[in-house]
């Protein structure tokens, strides 16, 4: 079992930056991919960034590419999402998730993920 906890949400003005953190704990080798998702009010979850823990390979949705950066620390148990140039449309509940996959190429599809955090709200204002 893997326990996932996000932190770092809050309110920021458009054009500003915010960093989210996600800590995953549990059985060794229970996960190899960690992803960030967001859910706008009344809509489904959108995969926005993934990182393959062993290789640190990353992938991004077009909506955040060039503005958001996902990274992992040396312990490989904490993943950060640095969000720059925030827009009003980035306002959403943000979730961190994890799953195990042989090899890289982590998914941006929420159904592929087994372990989820409780979410953290990000609000961007003008």
């Amino acid at each position: 079992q893997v326990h996932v906890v996000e932190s770092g949400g809050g309110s920021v003005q458009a054009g500003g930056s915010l960093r989210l953190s996600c800590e995953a704990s549990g059985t060794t080798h229970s996960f190899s991919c960690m992803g960030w998702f967001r859910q706008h009010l009344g809509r489904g979850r959108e995969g926005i960034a993934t990182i393959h823990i062993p290789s640190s390979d990353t992938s991004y949705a077009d909506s955040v590419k060039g503005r958001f950066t996902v990274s992992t620390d040396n312990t490989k148990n904490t993943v950060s999402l640095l969000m720059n140039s925030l827009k009003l449309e980035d306002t959403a509940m943000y979730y961190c998730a994890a799953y195990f996959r042989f090899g890289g190429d982590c998914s941006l599809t929420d159904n592929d993920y087994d372990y989820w955090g409780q979410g953290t709200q990000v609000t961007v204002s003008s």
Side-chain angles (χ1 to χ4, degrees):
Q1 186 71 345
V2 177
H3 188 54
V4 178
V5 179
E6 308 97 337
S7 61
S11 297
V12 64
Q13 286 192 321
S17 299
L18 206 59
R19 182 187 293 272
L20 306 182
S21 292
C22 173
E23 183 174 356
S25 59
T27 307
T28 303
H29 305 307
S30 295
F31 61 94
S32 59
C33 290
M34 293 185 73
W36 284 98
F37 295 78
R38 66 185 181 186
Q39 187 167 19
H40 297 93
L41 195 63
R43 294 168 62 178
R45 275 188 296 219
E46 173 194 13
I48 57 173
T50 72
I51 185 165
H52 182 242
I53 299 300
S55 66
S56 296
D57 286 344
T58 60
S59 62
Y60 299 91
D62 288 342
S63 58
V64 305
K65 197 173 293 183
R67 300 188 299 122
F68 290 11
T69 303
V70 59
S71 61
T72 185
D73 69 358
N74 291 334
T75 70
K76 304 294 188 181
N77 286 334
T78 299
V79 170
S80 296
L81 182 69
L82 176 60
M83 304 183 294
N84 293 324
S85 302
L86 282 162
K87 304 175 181 179
L88 298 179
E89 53 264 41
D90 292 320
T91 295
M93 182 70 79
Y94 283 71
Y95 297 90
C96 180
Y99 79 113
F100 180 83
R101 174 183 173 86
F102 288 104
D105 195 21
C106 296
S107 170
L108 279 170
T109 302
D110 58 354
N111 285 344
D112 290 328
Y113 286 74
D114 297 315
Y115 309 105
W116 289 83
Q118 78 288 350
T120 186
Q121 177 68 36
V122 172
T123 301
V124 184
S125 59
S126 58

